[in-house]
Amino acid sequence: MPAAPSAPAKPPTAPVKRPPAAERVYTHIKEAVLDRRYEGGTLLTEGDLADAVGVSRTPVREALLRLEVEGLIKLYPKKGALVLAVSAQEIKDVVETRLLVEEFAARRAVPTTPQLVARLEQLLEEQRQLAEAGDLAAVAVKDRCFHAEIVKHAGNEILSRLYDQLRDRQLRMGVAVMEAHPGRIEANVTEHGELLDAIRAGDAEGAALVVRRHVGRVRELVRGEDR
């Protein structure tokens, strides 16, 4: 009997490409700063960072220069990089900008669309699940996604780009607030639900009012005004 035809050989699997070394260092430091594993006032050294990521010191220097430009660290020659704490002025600037953009976007979300409502419902449920799991960094990301979706719906690309520039500062402040005030996690979910209800009901001014209270409370808590 003739031999059965052999199965065609599978093409070799292409190796998974790793990001460049400097990019890996940048991501490592930035994520650690944003979720406060590297808190404000922490001094980072090139040697420790190189060991942590498994690279040489050259890509570490590249990543640190990039992060200094973004305002997350301050480089000190022959000493290392200091993680910058969130300043009172930065809090003020971020909250004022958020209010300008988010109140406008909340009003523009009315009349709403089924697509926006469905997306906000999904993000709210995901935030609830992450809150129950206690993943503060992920909760902060989902929290911001909820607001960013409303800003995106406003249809103003310049405002959307401006809002995107606040991302890192928002995430850092969000984690700080939830660590210091655990009750704020549930409150955020509740207030997002109120905002969604106002948008769904076609109440533009009601939605703007929820945003004003919600974002203003963040400013008070980050400043330590727990009242």
Side-chain angles (χ1 to χ4, degrees):
M1 293 179 63
S6 58
K10 293 183 179 180
T13 303
V16 177
K17 289 186 177 180
R18 298 183 71 191
E23 188 67 27
R24 297 203 306 275
V25 179
Y26 169 83
T27 300
H28 168 81
I29 300 171
K30 186 165 186 174
E31 289 181 351
V33 170
L34 295 184
D35 65 23
R36 290 170 58 83
R37 282 178 286 132
Y38 293 156
E39 295 188 17
T42 303
L43 185 66
L44 308 174
T45 67
E46 291 182 2
D48 287 344
L49 291 170
D51 291 342
V53 185
V55 298
S56 69
R57 294 193 180 199
T58 299
V60 172
R61 294 189 192 103
E62 293 178 27
L64 290 175
L65 287 169
R66 184 175 168 189
L67 289 161
E68 184 177 44
V69 171
E70 294 181 8
L72 293 178
I73 64 168
K74 173 67 176 176
L75 290 175
Y76 290 93
K78 300 182 180 179
K79 291 184 179 180
L82 183 69
V83 178
L84 297 177
V86 178
S87 68
Q89 185 63 46
E90 183 178 0
I91 295 168
K92 178 177 180 293
D93 293 347
V94 169
V95 170
E96 286 180 352
T97 307
R98 283 191 64 186
L99 287 172
L100 287 170
V101 175
E102 291 185 34
E103 284 191 46
F104 169 83
R107 291 187 178 94
R108 288 289 293 267
V110 176
T112 191
T113 64
Q115 292 81 7
L116 177 62
V117 170
R119 178 59 176 153
L120 294 179
E121 289 173 342
Q122 176 189 358
L123 289 168
L124 187 58
E125 179 56 32
E126 290 172 355
Q127 188 181 359
R128 285 194 184 99
Q129 293 174 3
L130 290 167
E132 291 174 1
D135 190 340
L136 299 189
V139 170
V141 170
K142 202 63 63 174
D143 183 310
R144 189 194 175 279
C145 286
F146 185 91
H147 292 283
E149 195 68 30
I150 298 171
V151 172
K152 178 182 175 183
H153 181 78
N156 187 314
E157 292 187 7
I158 294 175
L159 279 184
S160 291
R161 287 197 295 269
L162 172 63
Y163 194 73
D164 285 344
Q165 292 174 15
L166 300 177
R167 177 184 180 276
D168 294 346
R169 292 176 171 85
Q170 281 181 258
L171 294 180
R172 198 174 175 199
M173 291 178 191
V175 173
V177 166
M178 288 185 288
E179 284 182 347
H181 306 276
R184 191 62 205 162
I185 302 172
E186 183 178 349
N188 279 348
V189 173
T190 299
E191 289 166 12
H192 284 179
E194 292 171 355
L195 178 53
L196 175 56
D197 288 344
I199 290 172
R200 191 190 284 119
D203 184 359
E205 290 306 314
L209 179 60
V210 173
V211 167
R212 196 175 311 129
R213 289 199 309 258
H214 177 66
V215 177
R217 186 62 175 146
V218 172
R219 172 170 51 191
E220 294 169 7
L221 292 174
V222 176
R223 284 177 169 176
E225 301 170 9
D226 189 12
R227 60 173 185 261

